Amino acid sequence: MRGEIRQIHPRKGGGSPGEPIPRRLAVIMAGDIAGYSRLMNIDEEGTHARLKRILREVVEPTIAEHHGRLVKTTGDGFIAIFDSPVEAVRCGIVIQQSMVGRNASVPAQQALLYRIGVNLGDVIVDSNEVFGDGVNIAVRLEGIATPGQVYISGGVYEQIKHKLVCGYQSLGDRQVKNITDPVRVYRVLPDPAAFMETQKRREIGFVVLASIVLLAIAGSLWYTMRPGRDLNVARSSAPAASAPETSRTTESAAAIAPSAAPAISPQGTSPASPQAGSFSPATPQGASPQPASPPSASPSVKEPEMAQLPGGSFSMGSNEDPSEKPVHQVAIKPFALSKFPVTVRQWNECAAANACEFTALGDENAPVTNVSWTDTKQYLGWLEQVTHKPYRLPSEAEWEYAARGGTQTKYWWGDQLQAGMANCKNCVAIASASADFPAKVGSFRPNPFGLYDMGGGVDQWVEDCWHRNYQGAPNDGSPWMDGDCVSHVIRSGSWKNDASYVRPANRDHYDTGVRYPTHGFRVALSP
Amino acid sequence: MKLVRLVMLGMVLAAASSYAAFAQGTPAPKDAALYFIWPLDGATLKGAFWCRFGLRNMGVTHAGDTFPNSGHHHLLIDVNEPIDSKEPIPQDKSHLHFGAGQTETRLELAPGKHTLQLVLGDAKHYPFNPPLISKKITITVK
Ligand SMILES: [Cu+2]
């Protein structure tokens, strides 16, 4: 099964003779499943399916998060390369820790346990293959590793010993086939305290085993008896309250466009009346011309109501938080932004078309929540397909420009917090607001650009990668994409955050692919 | 006697696991422990530093994954309010989520005294039952 990795291939296609072979130093990780053939004998299909899932859900994302590249997978194993030894070892630890969780739900004899070896060495990297002694040593380390553990070579150990707080246990020198010099081997103990634990392990093992068996029995019992196994909603939002609030669904069913009247009329100063943009109430006006043939896929889909924003220049940022500095001038081209965050009803049109992964719960006119940045791309792809318009997320600069609505004050209505202006934790107590869902979109006053809920309500994803401040930010309104894109920017703050999050300059971030119950988004369109 | 106790423990765990289907309160193993590998309680640090999370007898997984006995880390910075186990762990500048399975983070805090505390969250960011919370440590940034 593993033979194909062990042997050194001739380069595919040969290449032109005399062309230099690109060699480089890399950290190589080799992993394989202990006792794979035994597991395949017990349950070939099940084992194969489980392993594929683990590769997709654990191994691949973990390697990507640690800036590695999965070079190849074989029946039960994989080879990945990394630039950083620290990242590679950390990746190994995370894979092994994730597997502990996975294995907790299956009987011990069916547990899938990875053996992982990590080595630092000279390799030749092809598009989907990697060769050299460095690889052979990684595979050898993997071969001697105790299932569930990470073994590293002396070379890797030297690189990480002062950087990664782990326990390391030297296992002495090992001879590797076809390699002259012996290789020093270390076992990685992710938890330094694990050293002391080894003695107690046998005792604990029995408790764990007993609990696992009982858990498995209880789990399968529960699974078969579970009411309403609706798989479509399985990964969706609203953890505690799974039933939508029926009391509010009757209020306004027709359009998502609310009346201009805010839920609570503010006392004293009233904000400047909307003046910029076009505010045609009923017909959505896309900037780009309607295509000749109407969208055939889903003719009933209503396009989001958009506000046309004029171009302009504004001061982005503030001095209130280090992440908002330095204040810098940004030029914004004219664009359109949806007046409201995307609603549950809009999202569920996408879900009904099987283009969005889950069906959202809650009031139809509440903003959709529990969407990751990645999820928003599903919706946008679908919306573009049915409308033939390139809907997108706004850039962070566009979002702040839009939220300010032409003002430079702390909030768009001035420097003082006012009751009834936004849906946030301490802004005002709204009678209808529930803890689990935000208020319906448009429950508060629009800003001078005619935009609702730009601050409070739901956190809103924008296109940009997270950068911890504006040092080096673009000044042309484009999304800031370079850098480490494991985390994207969220704006607006949510109904669960306090008033400081309502400020248009406030910024925060969250892991790109992770869902959280206060996160939503709105859509933009270039003319 | 010992065996009886073990079976009882197993039954409690099993009961807890079926309960988890209907409400929050995903059960955590009794011997699970959440702690800071680094920094140490009372440490004085200069500028930015790495903060490393330790978890014993449970696995780290991604938010959204519902595998038993696994969760994701949350780091609470200067938080004084107690954790509400009936609510998702808040998401703001003092409640950091590590839903991609991270086991450490680089922190840059203003000079002065700060408290740090870890809370393990389940697939939907709720605390476990019983809550798996680290000791609250105090550090000083120079
Ligand atoms: Cu979380």
Side-chain angles (χ1 to χ4, degrees):
Chain A
M1 224 157 301
R2 306 302 314 281
E4 53 193 306
I5 287 185
R6 290 205 170 88
Q7 99 195 35
I8 293 179
H9 294 237
R11 294 195 79 210
K12 267 184 233 103
S16 52
E19 185 186 303
I21 302 164
R23 276 183 173 277
R24 69 180 189 94
L25 190 65
V27 187
I28 309 104
M29 173 187 287
D32 86 324
I33 296 288
Y36 187 65
S37 32
R38 181 184 56 82
L39 288 162
M40 288 295 271
N41 279 338
I42 299 172
D43 174 12
E44 188 167 320
E45 249 172 63
T47 304
H48 182 70
R50 278 201 297 147
L51 185 61
K52 265 181 85 167
R53 245 191 104 174
I54 282 165
L55 265 176
R56 193 176 65 235
E57 293 173 4
V58 176
V59 176
E60 286 173 12
T62 308
I63 289 170
E65 273 149 26
H66 292 82
H67 313 288
R69 181 159 79 82
L70 184 64
V71 180
K72 65 178 290 186
T73 59
T74 60
D76 66 329
F78 65 87
I79 299 273
I81 56 171
F82 298 77
D83 290 327
S84 150
V86 174
E87 292 284 1
V89 174
R90 212 176 272 158
C91 175
I93 295 170
V94 173
I95 289 176
Q96 296 295 31
Q97 291 201 337
S98 305
M99 294 302 291
V100 172
R102 294 265 166 157
N103 283 324
S105 56
V106 298
Q109 68 271 19
Q110 280 175 40
L112 291 175
L113 289 170
Y114 270 113
R115 299 180 297 182
I116 292 179
V118 183
N119 181 43
L120 177 68
D122 216 19
V123 292
I124 301 162
V125 184
D126 218 337
S127 56
N128 56 357
E129 192 55 279
V130 55
F131 320 96
D133 283 351
V135 182
N136 296 343
I137 293 171
V139 171
R140 166 74 176 145
L141 289 168
E142 162 230 286
I144 60 176
T146 310
Q149 304 245 329
V150 180
Y151 280 25
I152 63 176
S153 65
V156 174
Y157 172 73
E158 289 303 322
Q159 294 294 315
I160 67 169
K161 61 181 177 186
H162 298 305
K163 296 183 195 144
L164 196 58
V165 185
C166 286
Y168 302 99
Q169 182 187 11
S170 172
L171 301 176
D173 293 341
R174 301 288 175 98
Q175 204 65 46
V176 177
K177 209 169 111 190
N178 299 331
I179 291 174
T180 338
D181 295 330
V183 176
R184 174 142 300 175
V185 181
Y186 290 85
R187 186 160 75 100
V188 179
L189 309 163
D191 176 357
F195 250 150
M196 280 89 82
E197 291 288 307
T198 39
Q199 263 111 357
K200 290 197 288 179
R201 191 159 294 159
R202 224 168 286 157
E203 206 181 323
I204 292 167
F206 180 65
V207 180
V208 170
L209 192 67
S211 315
I212 285 171
V213 170
L214 277 163
L215 271 174
I217 294 165
S220 54
L221 262 175
W222 162 74
Y223 194 81
T224 45
M225 283 156 44
R226 180 161 56 132
R229 279 159 59 185
D230 188 350
L231 292 175
N232 285 330
V233 214
R235 297 196 64 182
S236 75
S237 65
S242 44
E245 298 157 88
T246 42
S247 59
R248 293 205 286 140
T249 43
T250 45
E251 274 176 42
S252 81
I256 54 156
S259 64
I264 294 165
S265 43
Q267 304 292 320
T269 54
S270 71
S273 60
Q275 59 217 168
S278 81
F279 304 108
S280 49
T283 41
Q285 279 187 331
S288 53
Q290 193 69 24
S293 58
S296 51
S298 192
S300 64
V301 168
K302 261 213 207 129
E303 288 189 47
E305 262 191 275
M306 304 295 281
Q308 307 294 328
L309 308 194
S313 178
F314 80 112
S315 293
M316 183 172 180
S318 88
N319 289 318
E320 300 234 352
D321 189 272
S323 68
E324 297 162 18
K325 295 181 196 177
V327 176
H328 57 295
Q329 206 65 22
V330 178
I332 300 289
K333 296 174 196 74
F335 73 105
L337 190 61
S338 62
K339 289 185 180 179
F340 312 99
V342 172
T343 63
V344 166
R345 187 180 55 74
Q346 290 172 316
W347 176 271
N348 284 347
E349 287 175 341
C350 174
N354 283 324
C356 286
E357 207 175 292
F358 66 89
T359 302
L361 302 175
D363 189 312
E364 279 216 313
N365 295 324
V368 67
T369 53
N370 216 30
V371 287
S372 68
W373 186 90
T374 314
D375 290 331
T376 70
K377 297 293 171 171
Q378 285 186 347
Y379 179 82
L380 289 162
W382 167 80
L383 189 60
E384 172 166 5
Q385 208 199 324
V386 295
T387 60
H388 303 281
K389 290 179 192 169
Y391 282 100
R392 59 178 175 82
L393 290 176
S395 71
E396 185 176 11
E398 285 174 337
W399 198 96
E400 183 168 330
Y401 172 76
R404 289 182 174 281
T407 70
Q408 285 295 174
T409 41
K410 187 170 172 181
Y411 307 99
W412 62 257
W413 57 82
D415 283 324
Q416 299 303 315
L417 187 64
Q418 280 176 28
M421 297 304 258
N423 185 15
C424 86
K425 196 167 128 198
N426 306 321
C427 293
V428 64
I430 351 163
S432 63
S434 82
D436 294 322
F437 295 99
K440 284 184 285 191
V441 299
S443 297
F444 295 82
R445 291 197 154 227
N447 78 359
F449 280 168
L451 299 163
Y452 294 79
D453 307 313
M454 296 292 284
V458 281
D459 295 288
Q460 295 163 30
W461 289 108
V462 295
E463 182 66 18
D464 306 44
C465 297
W466 170 249
H467 296 83
R468 45 202 281 275
N469 58 40
Y470 290 133
Q471 216 67 247
N475 58 9
D476 61 356
S478 60
W480 193 5
M481 301 302 291
D482 58 24
D484 208 350
C485 231
V486 294
S487 178
H488 278 81
V489 176
I490 46 175
R491 286 303 203 118
S492 171
S494 79
W495 79 101
K496 293 207 169 193
N497 294 135
D498 67 39
S500 70
Y501 290 77
V502 168
R503 295 177 302 108
N506 179 70
R507 54 201 301 263
D508 205 346
H509 62 105
Y510 204 73
D511 288 317
T512 304
V514 180
R515 293 174 183 152
Y516 187 79
T518 62
H519 296 173
F521 66 111
R522 64 173 74 220
V523 301
L525 201 56
S526 294
Chain B
M1 242 356 250
K2 203 168 177 185
L3 190 69
V4 172
R5 279 221 310 275
L6 289 175
V7 171
M8 296 263 286
L9 170 69
M11 277 162 68
V12 167
L13 283 171
S17 83
S18 52
Y19 175 73
F22 304 102
Q24 297 311 315
T26 312
K30 268 224 167 81
D31 56 356
L34 188 59
Y35 60 99
F36 285 97
I37 297 171
W38 185 261
L40 303 176
D41 195 10
T44 297
L45 304 147
K46 261 191 188 165
F49 61 95
W50 282 99
C51 185
R52 302 187 207 281
F53 322 140
L55 176 61
R56 228 181 341 255
N57 298 323
M58 264 185 97
V60 171
T61 189
H62 297 195
D65 288 348
T66 51
F67 308 108
N69 297 339
S70 50
H72 67 280
H73 289 291
H74 298 83
L75 176 60
L76 278 46
I77 305 166
D78 299 326
V79 171
N80 292 317
E81 303 80 55
I83 278 290
D84 182 350
S85 57
K86 287 182 221 65
E87 288 286 315
I89 297 161
Q91 188 269 304
D92 56 37
K93 288 169 189 180
S94 46
H95 296 79
L96 311 184
H97 288 238
F98 297 90
Q102 302 95 319
T103 55
E104 62 181 10
T105 190
R106 184 106 175 131
L107 280 186
E108 195 168 352
L109 303 178
K113 259 195 168 52
H114 297 279
T115 64
L116 301 175
Q117 190 170 33
L118 291 169
V119 180
L120 201 72
D122 70 4
K124 290 182 170 172
H125 314 275
Y126 282 77
F128 281 83
N129 181 30
L132 199 45
I133 299 177
S134 80
K135 180 185 171 195
K136 188 187 271 189
I137 64 167
T138 304
I139 54 148
T140 308
V141 176
K142 281 258 150 143

